[in-house]
């Protein structure tokens, strides 16, 4: 066992030691980074059917916000059970709410 010079502790001997990064740890870091980037890109893109219909990320977000606001208003007014009805008339698309009746 090596002798520690006088006045030095074990901590002093290793305080400036930097472990070399292994290829394995580099590959793991790169894989984690790639997965994180994939998840971010996936979250930013509109769902595939909407993207095919020409919906941009911004349009998808706006539509989602408006639908959420409508659902909150329905809930606040006591409507708990409903269906959405979609109708197209020329260049207009109309979404209406129909109460479900049991």
């Amino acid at each position: 066992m090596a002798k520690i010079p006088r006045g030095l502790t074990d901590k002093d001997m290793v305080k400036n030691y930097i472990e070399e990064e292994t290829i394995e740890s580099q590959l793991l870091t790169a894989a984690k980074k790639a997965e994180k980037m994939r998840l971010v890109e996936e979250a930013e893109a509109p769902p595939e059917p909407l993207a095919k219909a020409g919906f941009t990320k911004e349009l998808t977000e706006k539509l989602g916000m408006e639908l959420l606001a409508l659902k909150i208003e329905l809930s606040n007014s006591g409507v708990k059970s409903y269906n959405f009805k979609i109708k197209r008339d020329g260049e207009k698309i109309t979404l209406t709410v129909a109460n479900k009746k049991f």
Side-chain angles (χ1 to χ4, degrees), residues 41-65:
E41 288 173 2
E42 196 174 271
E44 289 178 351
E48 191 172 325
L50 291 177
K52 287 181 180 177
F55 279 54
T56 63
K57 176 186 165 209
E58 293 79 18
L59 185 57
T60 304
E61 286 179 10
K62 186 173 181 177
L63 179 61
M65 294 295 281

Side-chain angles (χ1 to χ4, degrees), residues 9 64 78 97:
T9 64
V97 178

